[in-house]
Amino acid sequence: MSAPPINNVPVLEVRDLTVALPGGADRPNAVQRISFTVNPREIVCLVGESGSGKSVTAFATMGLLPKALTPTGGQILLQGEDILTASEQRLRELRCTRMSMIFQEPMTALNPVITCGEQIDEVLETHTKFDPAERRRRIIAMLEQVRLPEPARIYDSYPHQLSGGQRQRIMIAMALVLDPALLIADEPTTALDVTTQAQILQLIKELQERQGTGVLFITHDFGVVAEIADRVAVLRYGELVEMGQTRQLLTRPQHPYTKMLMAAVPSIHPRHREDRSKSELVLRAEGLTKVYSGGGFFQKSRAVRAADEVTIEVRRGETLGIVGESGSGKSTVARCIARLIDPTGGSIYLGGDEIGRLSPRRLRKHRRRIQIIFQDPYRSLNPRRTVGASIVEGPMNYGLSRAESLERARKLMELVRLDPNALDRFPHQFSGGQRQRICIARALAMEPELLIADEAVSALDVSVQAQVLDLLDDIRLRLNLAMLFITHDLRVAAQICDRVAVMQNGKVVEYGLAADMFADPQHDYTKALFAAAPGRDWQFGEAAA
């Protein structure tokens, strides 16, 4: 845990903050009279489901609320200065110098046509009088502090040339280059794999300790909370329902809502699963290989083996999990199996049919047999089409009448626990969890033999994640489906997978029953993944009692 505060003056003090939603007095507030403090060298985590007011609070503190959201009461004191009464000019002066923010998705927060060094330099040029040489020296030193390799090369690189973890380090460097008193981190590790996530969390803790910074950390991952927080504040529908020291709140929550969140956290210990080793073989990939060729007119050609001699199998009624870091080849294997990309070598057997080498025309009749659920349901659904139109499109393309397709869609909506009368609504009229259920219904409409879930729950709140995982497991049992489940969350893998394949650098380095692997991992890489899982040694809520 962090060291004690260096003085008794809070870096941030939020007093009775209220932020109104558009639509008049009859609408509930986005944030309703919440109060909390963040001290120097302290990390306070804000947790709660989507719509709880976490990001609204963060954006209000930074003075970045959209015009539709209006603070109607309270104070936000940054080292005693009220942010809510500050002018826009004053807010610009305070940003980066006394308060900074790390956003959730660095690829959208960074400018894609400006080098990373120039983007950090913009902060120094705006707020200091250093000459260009001094600014560059300080930026290189900051890049070294956030442990980026070859800082001079990174300085001249564009965001797309870096990995997700490296881009997040650029955001951290930009936020901390002027030693602000307050750092706000809004879900900065959600999309990162466990080892990169652990590195980023450790980095934030070290820099915060070294610079005496107070941190307001927003997350829905309770493993992260357990790993990094000094105190935790729980928000629900804009109200602060509980706040306390981390260990006490996570192991002995008092409010029913907090208890519900704790109960939804998946355990790192695998569930007991029925033996499916004698079931019918649905999928077998043998020696599956995918090689990408790089280079151009002025560059030396370089081959990257994204998948290297991968052999896996999935039986009916079974879930095979594929885990590993970003770039390990998980999604490449899934896309090759679904034939969204063409494999370079190896074989893919679906039942008794080899589909890895089929031409697009001959592959068409097999397409419906494999369906995939992607990570982001909002991008997966056409925003201009009703969800009903999206669900019936596939069956109608394969010869089912519109009436029969609609009847199937209604039954599937009930199966995924949604109102069948909502088929005429559009994707934006549903929550994130509901949209993912619609994507599951769309995939099941094709009556597939193999369902692929590619990070299908990684962006969901812990309670919604638990509901979708239970739904997928229920559907697997009801329909006797074979499922390929790709995730970087080991807690999720423990709860839904019968067997697990661990991938590193395109290769499967360990493969076996989930219960055996979680109890006694054999490969050094698997051990490193388990060691990096945030909150791996914690039991939450009732499980801790």
Side-chain angles (χ1 to χ4, degrees):
M1 273 319 142
S2 297
I6 55 178
N7 57 48
N8 294 323
V9 179
V11 169
L12 175 69
E13 188 172 3
V14 176
R15 297 177 179 172
D16 294 328
L17 176 66
T18 298
V19 179
L21 286 167
D26 57 329
R27 295 290 303 275
N29 291 316
V31 172
Q32 178 67 38
R33 294 180 62 84
I34 69 171
S35 300
F36 63 89
T37 60
V38 180
N39 295 306
R41 288 194 178 139
E42 181 184 42
I43 299 177
V44 174
C45 277
L46 284 185
V47 299
E49 296 171 290
S50 296
S52 63
K54 306 187 302 292
S55 292
V56 170
T57 302
F59 278 85
T61 302
M62 289 294 295
L64 295 175
L65 281 178
K67 293 181 179 179
L69 294 176
T70 309
T72 56
Q75 293 178 302
I76 301 176
L77 302 178
L78 177 67
Q79 294 182 313
E81 182 174 354
D82 193 351
I83 296 296
L84 297 183
T85 60
S87 66
E88 186 57 41
Q89 174 63 33
R90 180 57 179 158
L91 287 172
R92 281 195 293 268
E93 293 171 357
L94 292 173
R95 293 182 193 126
C96 290
T97 59
R98 287 171 56 189
M99 60 180 179
S100 285
M101 189 166 183
I102 306 169
F103 296 94
Q104 179 173 352
E105 178 43 67
M107 198 58 187
T108 57
L110 294 170
N111 191 324
V113 298
I114 300 177
T115 65
C116 295
E118 289 175 319
Q119 295 189 58
I120 302 174
D121 184 59
E122 186 179 1
V123 174
L124 293 176
E125 187 177 13
T126 302
H127 294 286
T128 73
K129 296 182 180 179
F130 299 137
D131 60 43
E134 176 63 14
R135 296 202 303 269
R136 182 181 176 87
R137 187 191 68 77
R138 286 175 177 261
I139 292 168
I140 295 294
M142 193 69 219
L143 294 178
E144 290 175 348
Q145 281 192 52
V146 297
R147 298 182 197 151
L148 280 165
E150 304 176 74
R153 178 184 65 82
I154 296 289
Y155 184 102
D156 294 321
S157 298
Y158 291 90
H160 73 274
Q161 295 175 304
L162 306 181
S163 69
Q166 289 175 328
R167 286 193 290 264
Q168 198 60 283
R169 289 167 193 262
I170 293 294
M171 292 293 298
I172 294 170
M174 190 182 301
L176 295 177
V177 71
L178 289 178
D179 296 337
L182 174 69
L183 175 66
I184 300 174
D186 189 2
E187 299 275 12
T189 61
T190 296
L192 302 178
D193 55 65
V194 287
T195 50
T196 306
Q197 184 183 66
Q199 293 166 8
I200 294 296
L201 293 176
Q202 184 62 32
L203 177 62
I204 290 174
K205 287 177 73 172
E206 288 178 3
L207 293 173
Q208 168 251 349
E209 284 278 352
R210 188 183 309 151
Q211 299 178 192
T213 308
V215 179
L216 182 63
F217 198 102
I218 297 168
T219 184
H220 65 255
D221 187 331
F222 282 91
V224 170
V225 174
E227 203 74 28
I228 201 171
D230 293 293
R231 290 186 296 139
V232 184
V234 182
L235 296 182
R236 181 184 185 228
Y237 300 144
E239 295 185 4
L240 183 63
V241 297
E242 189 168 356
M243 185 166 187
Q245 296 295 321
T246 301
R247 179 165 293 280
Q248 180 177 354
L249 188 139
L250 295 187
T251 59
R252 294 186 296 278
Q254 300 302 307
H255 194 277
Y257 177 71
T258 313
K259 292 179 180 178
M260 182 276 292
L261 291 179
M262 296 296 102
V265 178
S267 171
I268 196 71
H269 304 292
R271 293 178 180 175
H272 174 72
R273 313 282 289 188
E274 182 182 345
D275 182 13
R276 299 280 179 172
S277 60
K278 304 298 184 184
S279 298
E280 174 192 354
L281 192 63
V282 173
L283 170 77
R284 178 167 174 80
E286 294 181 353
L288 183 62
T289 300
K290 178 62 179 177
V291 180
Y292 291 102
S293 297
F297 286 113
F298 303 105
Q299 295 176 314
K300 186 178 179 180
S301 181
R302 184 172 66 93
V304 176
R305 298 180 77 83
D308 191 358
E309 297 287 335
V310 172
T311 297
I312 56 174
E313 61 180 37
V314 190
R315 297 183 178 274
R316 190 166 296 282
E318 178 185 57
T319 300
L320 172 66
I322 303 182
V323 302
E325 297 173 289
S326 297
S328 62
K330 307 186 301 293
S331 293
T332 296
V333 168
R335 282 161 170 74
C336 284
I337 289 171
R339 285 299 307 273
L340 297 179
I341 56 177
D342 295 327
T344 307
S347 303
I348 303 170
Y349 293 95
L350 187 60
D353 301 310
E354 206 290 319
I355 65 169
R357 300 183 183 91
L358 293 182
S359 66
R361 183 180 64 82
R362 295 180 62 194
L363 181 65
R364 187 180 185 277
K365 68 178 182 179
H366 298 285
R367 287 280 187 197
R368 67 170 188 81
R369 300 171 67 188
I370 302 177
Q371 293 296 302
I372 190 165
I373 307 164
F374 294 99
Q375 179 174 352
D376 187 344
Y378 196 69
R379 292 171 62 186
S380 301
L381 295 168
N382 189 330
R384 296 186 177 186
R385 306 188 70 182
T386 65
V387 298
S390 291
I391 294 172
V392 303
E393 180 182 18
M396 289 177 64
N397 284 341
Y398 277 83
L400 207 64
S401 70
R402 181 172 181 80
E404 290 174 311
S405 298
L406 280 171
E407 181 59 29
R408 182 181 294 182
R410 292 189 185 94
K411 291 179 179 178
L412 286 169
M413 289 289 277
E414 291 179 351
L415 182 65
V416 299
R417 302 165 196 166
L418 290 175
D419 184 357
N421 295 322
L423 286 172
D424 292 330
R425 291 162 60 184
F426 290 87
H428 72 272
Q429 295 174 292
F430 296 87
S431 69
Q434 289 173 326
R435 284 195 290 265
Q436 197 61 291
R437 291 168 186 264
I438 291 163
C439 288
I440 294 170
R442 182 178 62 176
L444 294 175
M446 300 302 293
E447 298 184 337
E449 297 168 35
L450 176 69
L451 187 64
I452 301 175
D454 190 358
E455 297 282 9
V457 298
S458 65
L460 302 178
D461 297 323
V462 63
S463 56
V464 179
Q465 181 185 80
Q467 294 166 13
V468 173
L469 288 175
D470 286 343
L471 174 64
L472 285 171
D473 219 27
D474 182 51
I475 289 170
R476 174 189 63 86
L477 289 170
R478 283 199 204 185
L479 305 181
N480 203 24
L481 268 177
M483 191 181 306
L484 190 63
F485 196 93
I486 296 164
T487 183
H488 66 256
D489 190 328
L490 294 173
R491 288 179 176 272
V492 167
Q495 295 308 298
I496 200 166
C497 298
D498 297 277
R499 290 182 298 139
V500 175
V502 180
M503 290 194 67
Q504 180 189 27
N505 298 329
K507 292 179 178 290
V508 174
V509 297
E510 190 163 355
Y511 186 69
L513 291 172
D516 294 341
M517 193 177 299
F518 276 78
D520 186 21
Q522 299 299 306
H523 196 276
D524 288 343
Y525 177 71
T526 311
K527 293 176 183 177
L529 282 182
F530 286 10
R536 61 195 175 280
D537 298 324
W538 280 69
Q539 295 292 320
F540 298 94
E542 292 181 3

